[in-house]
Structures are given as C-alpha cells and as structure tokens.
Amino acid sequence: MVLSGGGARGIAHLGILKALEEFGIVPSFISGTSAGAIAGAFYAAGYPIPKIVSILKKGQIFNFSNILIKKQGLFAMKGFQGIYQEYFPNNSFEDLNIPLFVAATDILKGEIVYFSSGNLAQALQASACIPLVFQPVNFNDTLYVDGGVINNFPTEPLINKCDIIIGSYVNSIKKEVDQVHMNNILDRCFHLAMKSSVQNKTQSCTLYIEPPNMSQFSIFNLKRSEEIYDYGYNYALSLEKEIKDIVNTI
C-alpha cells in the first residue's frame, strides 16, 4: 500500500483502508510520505481505524500548533513528540505489525531517504516537516523536510517486494476554478507541480485510488475530518469491481 502526503486530507487514506478491509484486503507492506506515513504508522501498529481518526483529530497533528518563531520555520515538529511517545511507546519500526517505509527529504544532500528501522518518531516528524512552515528536523547529522518535496507517492520501496501494489493519492485538484484564494495558492501550485511525476508512477500500481476534487479540503484543517474520512471510504467502495478483481487474484 502506497499512501501519499496531503495534510488533513490524509484522513481519507483511513477511509480507503477501511473499505479495503471490508473487501478482505490488508496490506503486507506500507510506504508513505508525510500524512500518509503518519496514517500508515498508526495502521501498521494495529490501532483500529476509528481510533486512528480520533487520535489524529484530537492530537491536532495536521493543524498549526506549537508556535515557535525561528528563521527556518514557524512551527516546531518536536511539539508532536509527546503524541508519538504515547502511542508508540517503544518508538521503533521493528515493533510495528506491518513493515513500514517512511519517505523524507534530506534537504542538505538534496535526496530522498526511506526510513524502515530505528527511531519511528524522528522519521515521522521528518517526513511531515513542511518547508517554511516547520523547522527542519535535525538528526543523523543532517536536516530533513517533508518527503513530498521530492517524492509524494513513494512506490519505490515496494517495487520487487510486492506482487500487488495499491496506491492511495489524496491530492487531486479541481482542474478549472474561477479563483484561487491566497491561502490555497501554495498548495495548488505544489500539487500541480508534482502531478506529472505521480502520474508516471501510477503504472506501478495494480490499483490506483484518487478520490476526485480533494482540494475542497484544506491540508491544515481537521474540522472536516469525519467528512474527509467518509469521502475516501465511499469513493473506495465505488471501486468495488476493481477491488474484487484484485481479491480474486490473491
């Protein structure tokens, strides 16, 4: 299972995972960026999906919080350390029930890094560290920012590991709009820029799930989390034929 970044839109991944469960599909491996890495980690740890939605909403992981003015970013990722300590007490990839790959960008070397062992909380903070919004995460003698800067749909760790790859991408944008509000310009530009690279990688997927018009949901607002969850869930259910075709091959 490949889970894209997307901030609060990442809640839709959980709706999609719930629908897949109901069809009898549970991933053997998960690869995620940013919000996808966070959702994937909780799922890989064995938390029930409704509980994960509650944790993410209550913890305000996708909301602005922990303001700390610094020249490299407005918010401190370490503010989320307590949440991860509470729900991942051993703070280890090795304790997860499902192997997980977490994509982050090494901003000093200019390359993508995939974490799959060791310090889970650090990897999740690095993967979700949106540039200019959050301070870069400093560990392993380098600085990390959001994995989506280079790879917002990390299929690569699963190639040659899985016979079936299902991709969940939650950043679809409405193609024609009358106007774009200032607070949405950066988000729209970012996802327009990455769309072509993501499209090329969908060929690696047995099934590619992209709920339409996800840009109706803000990446920083959890107030519509239940609606986002339902939107992902219902869209996945609409792909019943495609999903059942996969089930029949397993």
Side-chain angles (χ1 to χ4, degrees):
M1 192 83 195
V2 183
L3 306 176
S4 74
R9 296 172 193 155
I11 298 289
H13 290 313
L14 298 170
I16 290 167
L17 284 165
K18 179 61 175 175
L20 291 174
E21 279 187 353
E22 292 178 2
F23 285 113
I25 295 177
V26 175
S28 302
F29 294 88
I30 298 173
S31 179
T33 291
S34 196
I38 294 170
F42 281 97
Y43 187 82
Y47 288 101
I49 288 175
K51 176 67 173 177
I52 301 173
V53 175
S54 175
I55 291 169
L56 297 183
K57 185 176 181 179
K58 181 181 177 182
Q60 300 290 293
I61 287 179
F62 301 131
N63 272 5
F64 283 161
S65 58
N66 305 299
I67 296 178
L68 182 60
I69 302 298
K70 295 277 187 175
K71 66 179 181 180
Q72 290 180 306
L74 292 176
F75 300 87
M77 290 302 298
K78 66 181 181 181
F80 303 120
Q81 183 75 27
I83 297 172
Y84 296 134
Q85 287 177 343
E86 179 179 356
Y87 294 103
F88 306 110
N90 294 324
N91 192 24
S92 171
F93 278 87
E94 287 76 12
D95 274 4
L96 300 176
N97 298 333
I98 301 172
L100 174 71
F101 298 91
V102 172
T105 298
D106 184 329
I107 197 63
L108 299 185
K109 296 178 183 177
E111 62 186 27
I112 196 74
V113 176
Y114 302 107
F115 297 100
S116 59
S117 63
N119 192 317
L120 177 61
Q122 287 277 39
L124 294 177
Q125 289 177 81
S127 183
C129 185
I130 301 172
L132 302 181
V133 175
F134 294 104
Q135 299 170 45
V137 175
N138 187 343
F139 77 107
N140 291 348
D141 299 319
T142 190
L143 296 176
Y144 295 96
V145 297
D146 198 302
V149 170
I150 293 180
N151 190 349
N152 203 35
F153 192 65
T155 57
E156 290 83 354
L158 304 186
I159 303 298
N160 298 324
K161 269 191 171 60
C162 302
D163 297 319
I164 295 170
I165 296 177
I166 298 176
S168 177
Y169 186 75
V170 295
N171 296 296
S172 59
I173 58 176
K174 189 175 180 180
K175 289 294 182 68
E176 298 180 6
V177 294
D178 296 327
Q179 60 181 345
V180 180
H181 297 292
M182 286 299 296
N183 60 346
N184 292 327
I185 287 178
L186 180 60
D187 174 53
R188 187 171 177 82
C189 289
F190 181 67
H191 291 107
L192 281 170
M194 73 171 61
K195 182 60 178 177
S196 61
S197 64
V198 170
Q199 201 65 46
N200 290 336
K201 290 199 272 184
T202 63
Q203 299 174 11
S204 302
C205 298
T206 311
L207 176 63
Y208 176 67
I209 301 174
E210 182 180 336
N213 193 21
M214 285 296 295
S215 56
Q216 67 182 291
F217 304 111
S218 167
I219 64 173
F220 294 120
N221 189 347
L222 283 169
K223 291 180 180 179
R224 299 175 69 185
S225 58
E226 297 295 337
E227 186 180 349
I228 294 170
Y229 172 84
D230 289 340
Y231 193 76
Y233 173 74
N234 289 322
Y235 182 74
L237 289 182
S238 75
L239 302 176
E240 178 178 0
K241 181 182 182 303
E242 293 88 339
I243 295 172
K244 285 186 173 178
D245 285 345
I246 291 175
V247 172
N248 290 334
T249 67
I250 297 175

